[in-house]
Amino acid sequence: MKKILIYSVLCLIAALPVSAQKFYKDAINITNASLWQQGESLYINMQMDMRNLKVSNDRTLTLTPVLTGPDNNVVLPEIVINGRRRQKAYLRAMALDKATNMEIPYNTQEVLNYTQVIPYEPWMENAYLNLEEDLCGCGGHQEVLTQEMIMNGVSTETKRLAALQPVPSYIQPKAEVVKARSEQYEAHLDFPVGKSVILPDFMNNQTELRNIREMFNKVQNDKKLTITGVYIEGFASPEGPLKLNEQLSKSRAEALKKYLSVHEQIPANLYNVSFGGENWEGLVKALEASNIKEKTEFLNIIRNTSDIAHRKEEIKRVGGGAPYRTMLKELYPALRKVNCRIDYTIANFKVDEGKEIIKTQPQYLSLNEMYLVANSYPKGGDDFIKVFDIAVRMYPDDEVANLNAAAVALSKKDLPDARKYLDKSNKQTAEYANNNGIYYLLSGNKDQAIVEFTKAVRNGNEAARYNLEEIEKVFSLHHPCDLILQLSVS
């Protein structure tokens, strides 16, 4: 025997929702239809308004919801509406057989809530819900069979999770009271043996001096910059007596200062000259990159001999002295250098100025100025995202810049970039925990996401609180009166 049920009467609805669908010659209105998967169950809900439905005296209308997939279907309990005479027959049958299934009388004028819970199976994910309408051929009439789609697509937990738009967290960087920056050039000037006078046309000096002056001109000619100091540091190659090297390298650094004082408009009191020492660090790097056969032996001597004079003697004796002479010729000249650094401050900019400067000179903006520029655009828009991408490019090692770049990557669901930036962020902040939670959520690890969101909530992060609430909605069962999820209504 087919299962025939009557469903509980809802509170009457004064006006039908705009989303109402009309069925059976527009006499039945179905609203709030939902197919909601929760765990191992599928919840089927809809409200059926049959107040305009009329069934002939001697006929029966059977409404059968059917859940249908490509190769499967589930026939759900029917709703039977009797005409006047058919209803009388039903009442007589009911008097004789107390087990007779209940039917809906012909004059029912109510809004009914149809609810079913069935075991969920994987094929149901893309199933659709049809309504089969069977007006019986009783009383000499011809049977009329029709079928109409109520809705397609099941709201699964997986789909609802994928549809979530979790809210990432951003941190406003601290404002820089003074934006101090510097430009540096490593100059390899050539000097005649034992001399400390700069000859512009000697060997490669013309190129080196041009590069130094270009650096100075770049800073001096920019009205947004103010020079606060020029630092010249001389280095010597590590051969010969240390005191002689110190004297020679310092005098050569002084020579560069004198040259710049003549050719650049910088006050003399801003120059600072010092001796950086014998360039052992540079020699180690040069040896590591060289093809000198004895480089491992040289490196061991440098690293394990603390007495400088003794170290120099040991180096000279390697391989009978020939390898040392090769180093003197191929490696040592580049160790004689002068580092030249210009320190300067950058003017502070208002948001409107920053929006223009970031297009051509983003290095002039502080992280806080970039943050303010970003937030002058619609949140999540292309311009908003672009500013944070520039910020992390300009400040690649800054924890706040990386945290905000991770938030942008998460908003684009770019998980590889998000992970890269998160790993360079401060992991002790609530903002990190929230963004890390989003990363796990988008990666399919719901349980770890909840752990991270909970951690962030405990530290007062409102975005994490919202994200937790959204997850709870995905996995909570809502009564149709409380939440109606419309899915691809036909």
Side-chain angles (χ1 to χ4, degrees):
M1 178 184 294
K2 292 182 179 179
K3 189 176 182 182
I4 306 171
L5 302 176
I6 182 169
Y7 295 88
S8 59
V9 177
L10 295 176
C11 47
L12 288 178
I13 301 175
L16 288 173
V18 177
S19 59
Q21 296 171 266
K22 295 183 180 298
F23 293 85
Y24 190 68
K25 304 175 184 178
D26 294 342
I28 299 174
N29 289 285
I30 294 181
T31 59
N32 300 333
S34 69
L35 298 172
W36 182 278
Q37 176 255 330
Q38 185 76 30
E40 297 180 354
S41 299
L42 177 64
Y43 294 81
I44 303 161
N45 295 291
M46 57 183 159
Q47 294 173 3
M48 305 180 72
D49 186 331
M50 294 184 285
R51 288 176 290 185
N52 296 324
L53 178 63
K54 303 297 180 186
V55 178
S56 300
N57 287 337
D58 53 0
R59 305 191 77 175
T60 294
L61 174 64
T62 303
L63 304 174
T64 308
V66 181
L67 187 69
T68 304
D71 303 307
N72 308 80
N73 68 72
V74 175
V75 178
L76 300 169
E78 302 168 339
I79 299 171
V80 177
I81 303 98
N82 288 320
R84 183 188 299 271
R85 294 196 190 96
R86 296 287 295 178
Q87 179 66 9
K88 288 180 180 178
Y90 156 73
L91 293 175
R92 287 195 296 272
M94 189 172 65
L96 296 173
D97 184 1
K98 300 297 184 183
T100 299
N101 292 290
M102 294 184 66
E103 302 181 4
I104 299 177
Y106 75 97
N107 62 347
T108 292
Q109 293 186 349
E110 303 288 0
V111 178
L112 305 177
N113 180 33
Y114 185 97
T115 302
Q116 284 293 302
V117 182
I118 62 175
Y120 178 77
E121 298 178 22
W123 68 265
M124 296 176 180
E125 179 180 2
N126 297 309
Y128 46 93
L129 185 64
N130 287 334
L131 183 65
E132 293 184 354
E133 305 155 357
D134 183 359
L135 184 62
C136 76
C138 37
H141 296 280
Q142 182 177 357
E143 183 178 17
V144 179
L145 291 170
T146 56
Q147 179 174 283
E148 298 180 82
M149 181 187 290
I150 299 173
M151 65 179 298
N152 60 24
V154 174
S155 175
T156 64
E157 292 173 342
T158 300
K159 289 179 183 177
R160 296 195 296 274
L161 270 180
L164 284 183
Q165 295 294 328
V167 177
S169 295
Y170 295 83
I171 294 178
Q172 180 168 359
K174 292 180 180 179
E176 291 184 69
V177 178
V178 178
K179 295 187 318 191
R181 303 289 187 271
S182 66
E183 296 281 338
Q184 183 165 312
Y185 184 74
E186 184 177 286
H188 295 276
L189 295 168
D190 295 302
F191 294 86
V193 176
K195 302 292 184 181
S196 57
V197 177
I198 292 179
L199 302 177
D201 295 325
F202 185 70
M203 298 183 71
N204 197 44
N205 284 353
Q206 195 171 69
T207 299
E208 291 295 282
L209 290 171
R210 183 175 63 249
N211 292 337
I212 293 172
R213 294 196 64 184
E214 284 178 355
M215 177 181 73
F216 272 78
N217 291 338
K218 173 186 172 184
V219 177
Q220 289 185 96
N221 296 336
D222 195 326
K223 294 180 180 180
K224 297 184 285 292
L225 311 181
T226 301
I227 295 176
T228 58
V230 177
Y231 296 84
I232 301 172
E233 187 176 26
F235 291 85
S237 54
E239 83 274 18
L242 176 60
K243 282 193 174 183
L244 177 62
N245 286 335
E246 180 177 355
Q247 180 183 354
L248 194 58
S249 63
K250 191 169 184 179
S251 62
R252 287 173 175 175
E254 288 284 359
L256 179 59
K257 172 189 170 183
K258 183 177 179 180
Y259 175 88
L260 293 172
S261 297
V262 172
H263 294 88
E264 304 294 338
Q265 303 300 313
I266 297 176
N269 66 320
L270 293 182
Y271 285 95
N272 299 272
V273 177
S274 63
F275 171 52
E278 293 181 325
N279 196 1
W280 289 103
E281 182 181 348
L283 178 58
V284 168
K285 291 180 180 178
L287 280 168
E288 288 174 338
S290 76
N291 294 318
I292 293 177
K293 181 180 176 182
E294 295 81 5
K295 69 178 182 179
T296 301
E297 191 173 351
F298 282 130
L299 289 170
N300 286 334
I301 292 171
I302 294 171
R303 289 165 176 162
N304 300 313
T305 308
S306 58
D307 184 277
I308 300 300
H310 183 58
R311 179 191 299 172
K312 291 178 180 179
E313 292 303 317
E314 288 291 315
I315 289 174
K316 289 180 182 179
R317 286 197 288 266
V318 171
Y324 173 69
R325 289 190 292 274
T326 300
M327 280 204 306
L328 285 176
K329 182 180 178 181
E330 296 182 2
L331 305 184
Y332 275 46
L335 303 179
R336 302 161 196 146
K337 65 175 185 174
V338 178
N339 283 348
C340 186
R341 188 184 85 232
I342 306 176
D343 287 358
Y344 57 90
T345 58
I346 307 174
N348 293 319
F349 304 107
K350 296 178 180 178
V351 170
D352 287 343
E353 295 173 312
K355 292 171 87 168
E356 294 304 314
I357 290 170
I358 200 169
K359 296 175 183 177
T360 56
Q361 296 173 309
Q363 70 275 16
Y364 286 179
L365 295 179
S366 68
L367 273 176
N368 183 62
E369 288 170 329
M370 290 187 184
Y371 180 89
L372 296 175
V373 168
N375 281 278
S376 71
Y377 296 114
K379 196 164 188 176
D382 290 343
D383 290 326
F384 177 88
I385 289 172
K386 186 177 180 180
V387 173
F388 284 113
D389 285 340
I390 292 173
V392 78
R393 193 167 69 245
M394 293 293 101
Y395 300 89
D397 297 319
D398 186 271
E399 291 179 337
V400 172
N402 278 280
L403 185 284
N404 291 340
V408 164
L410 290 167
S411 71
K412 298 187 292 185
K413 298 189 176 180
D414 183 345
L415 296 185
D417 271 0
R419 186 71 266 163
K420 176 180 68 177
Y421 295 133
L422 283 170
D423 288 344
K424 296 178 72 175
S425 305
N426 182 352
K427 298 176 176 59
Q428 305 307 313
T429 65
E431 290 81 4
Y432 170 84
N434 177 63
N435 291 353
N436 205 33
I438 296 174
Y439 173 83
Y440 282 116
L441 181 64
L442 297 179
S443 300
N445 191 340
K446 170 182 68 76
D447 293 337
Q448 188 59 38
I450 291 173
V451 169
E452 295 294 326
F453 289 143
T454 303
K455 188 189 305 180
V457 168
R458 283 200 300 266
N459 287 285
N461 188 276
E462 290 303 315
R465 189 182 306 279
Y466 170 83
N467 293 334
L468 265 182
E469 290 171 355
E470 291 300 296
I471 291 179
E472 289 171 2
K473 289 179 184 178
V474 167
F475 293 96
S476 297
L477 179 61
H478 297 273
H479 190 277
C481 284
D482 300 325
L483 174 68
I484 303 301
L485 183 67
Q486 296 290 345
L487 291 175
S488 304
V489 177
S490 61

